[in-house]
Amino acid sequence: MRSHQIKKLKAEDFYKCSNIWEMEKNPKMTDRFYDELVNGNRVTFICLENDEFVGEGSLVFHNHDPDYTIPGQRIYLSRMIVKEECQNRGIGGIIVDYLIDYAKKLGYKEIALGVDIDNLNARHLYEKKGFTNIIFLGKDEYGEYMKLIKKLT
């Protein structure tokens, strides 16, 4: 049995996440995530397996899309990702459960996320975790996606 540990990411460890995803492929997104982490608008949790970064998930308090954040009411689950060779082992579920519990402890009533239409594994996981309310279907520069909400009360 592998042991998984969830830890809050410190800003000075941010670039260790390149072990999980290819930060250099999207420098604008990488810089935005780092800035949000430093200024306190993003809290990121890392899943460690034998001290190796194998997954991460973040909560964002404010962004410019009211579908995702409503101050004090709705928080945004952003960038939940598991290292490719570690997928399909329950790590994503561990991270999502942790983020949901954390959002509840902070007093939020809802949690929102966006997921690509063609990302069937992620959609299945989110549905299993209660993200069943589709509030938006659309397209952006990355393709077709949907926004989902889960009530936390």
Side-chain angles (χ1 to χ4, degrees):
M1 179 78 190
R2 291 184 170 92
S3 89
H4 294 106
Q5 183 188 12
I6 301 272
K7 278 179 27 184
K8 195 172 188 177
L9 181 68
K10 296 184 181 109
E12 60 265 26
D13 292 333
F14 177 77
Y15 291 98
K16 288 183 186 174
C17 294
S18 63
N19 179 49
I20 303 167
W21 56 283
E22 297 172 320
M23 294 179 149
E24 66 284 349
K25 280 199 173 168
N26 197 333
K28 261 201 319 211
M29 183 171 73
T30 301
D31 291 347
R32 187 179 84 238
F33 289 176
Y34 179 77
D35 291 345
E36 288 176 342
L37 191 67
V38 169
N39 72 26
N41 189 37
R42 170 180 295 269
V43 58
T44 298
F45 295 95
I46 295 300
C47 184
L48 296 134
E49 188 177 87
N50 307 322
D51 292 325
E52 181 192 351
F53 282 32
V54 295
E56 74 174 85
S58 298
L59 292 172
V60 173
F61 300 100
H62 306 286
N63 81 355
H64 303 295
D65 185 339
D67 284 347
Y68 287 136
T69 59
I70 300 170
Q73 179 181 329
R74 183 181 298 162
I75 196 165
Y76 175 43
L77 191 163
S78 163
R79 195 60 180 168
M80 203 293 293
I81 188 164
V82 174
K83 191 174 174 178
E84 199 167 334
E85 58 268 29
C86 298
Q87 291 177 0
N88 301 311
R89 297 206 319 237
I91 295 168
I94 291 167
I95 296 169
V96 171
D97 286 343
Y98 191 92
L99 294 173
I100 289 168
D101 288 345
Y102 194 84
K104 283 180 184 173
K105 285 181 189 140
L106 292 177
Y108 284 90
K109 295 170 184 59
E110 299 171 329
I111 186 167
L113 60 83
V115 62
D116 292 337
I117 300 280
D118 61 4
N119 190 343
L120 299 179
N121 287 345
R123 286 177 53 195
H124 177 72
L125 170 64
Y126 295 139
E127 193 175 308
K128 207 164 72 177
K129 298 297 180 183
F131 289 88
T132 52
N133 184 2
I134 300 170
I135 59 163
F136 177 85
L137 285 168
K139 264 186 157 160
D140 64 10
E141 66 268 29
Y142 305 110
E144 291 183 73
Y145 73 104
M146 62 175 75
K147 295 175 183 174
L148 304 171
I149 285 190
K150 172 184 171 69
K151 298 258 186 245
L152 296 177
T153 49

